[in-house]
Amino acid sequence: MTALTPAAAGGAGVDELLDPSFLDGVQDVPMAEVRALRHRAEQEEVNLSYTRRLLQGRLDIVRRELQRRAEHDGRSLVDLLPEILSEKGRGPAHGLGRHQTVQPTSPEQFETWVNSLAPGADLTDVPSMPDDLLEQTARSLAAGERTLSERRRGVQSVMDAVAGELARRYREGLADVAQLLADESRHG
């Protein structure tokens, strides 16, 4: 029996956003549709960002356990959790510092996706995992993080393109800020 490959991060919703034709004709659609496209892209970016944080946390724990074993560190993984979770060893964030106005849509689904990257690995009991499984888990999670991050950057590019279209409309007088505020006060 062969192991199933997890679906791409974000699934079909992100696939659609990343399709080169997704933004075709965006300059001709009504303003409400452009805003809806922006909201959709923002939601997918939030979902991917949340999923990446879940994945990165697990990867940090697995990597630290590998390091603990290699260095024959006598401390338990539980004792090391504050250090792991404080991100001391991680470099600067590579996110774009976007203000998020929405929440992840289905946290359980995203956790299931992250766990599917390392089938057979019990990430609730990392210290009891054999070295070979721990190393394979680290490789699988790292590969998943790379592809997820690539897809997230693609969604961020879509967000930027849609925001650029909105800005163009306001700049060229094709959209009215007063109307936007009135629309948002009715819906918000």
Side-chain angles (χ1 to χ4, degrees), residues 37-47 101-102 159:
L37 291 174
R38 178 186 61 189
H39 179 74
R40 182 174 167 199
E42 286 173 346
Q43 184 63 64
E44 294 296 349
E45 198 279 336
V46 164
N47 292 344
T101 58
V102 294
M159 290 172 62

Side-chain angles (χ1 to χ4, degrees), residues 15-165:
D15 289 344
E16 189 174 329
L17 286 178
L18 297 179
D19 186 301
S21 66
F22 181 75
L23 293 174
D24 286 354
V26 72
Q27 65 278 1
D28 300 322
V29 300
M31 191 67 160
E33 284 185 45
V34 177
R35 285 192 200 114
L37 291 174
R38 178 186 61 189
H39 179 74
R40 182 174 167 199
E42 286 173 346
Q43 184 63 64
E44 294 296 349
E45 198 279 336
V46 164
N47 292 344
L48 289 171
S49 181
Y50 177 83
T51 306
R52 185 177 179 279
R53 287 191 308 272
L54 288 174
L55 193 159
Q56 191 63 52
R58 285 165 174 78
L59 182 57
D60 288 348
I61 290 168
V62 168
R63 285 179 172 162
R64 186 59 179 98
E65 175 62 12
L66 285 168
Q67 179 185 0
R68 186 186 75 78
R69 290 179 187 186
E71 294 173 356
H72 305 287
D73 188 333
R75 296 176 292 171
S76 74
L77 188 60
V78 171
D79 291 339
L80 295 169
L81 279 177
E83 176 186 318
I84 296 166
L85 298 176
S86 71
E87 301 183 18
K88 285 181 186 172
R90 198 178 296 170
H94 297 290
L96 300 179
R98 297 175 188 271
H99 174 71
Q100 297 178 341
T101 58
V102 294
Q103 296 297 313
T105 55
S106 181
E108 308 81 25
Q109 175 186 344
F110 308 134
E111 185 168 355
T112 298
W113 182 83
V114 169
N115 291 336
S116 76
L117 296 173
D122 181 3
L123 296 176
T124 65
D125 193 11
V126 171
S128 71
M129 292 171 64
D131 290 349
D132 59 336
L133 180 58
L134 197 59
E135 290 167 3
Q136 177 56 45
T137 298
R139 286 190 299 273
S140 296
L141 292 175
E145 195 278 332
R146 283 189 300 274
T147 59
L148 185 152
S149 292
E150 180 180 311
R151 288 171 64 82
R152 183 172 167 240
R153 283 189 297 275
V155 169
Q156 290 169 339
S157 292
V158 169
M159 290 172 62
D160 291 344
V162 173
E165 174 57 22

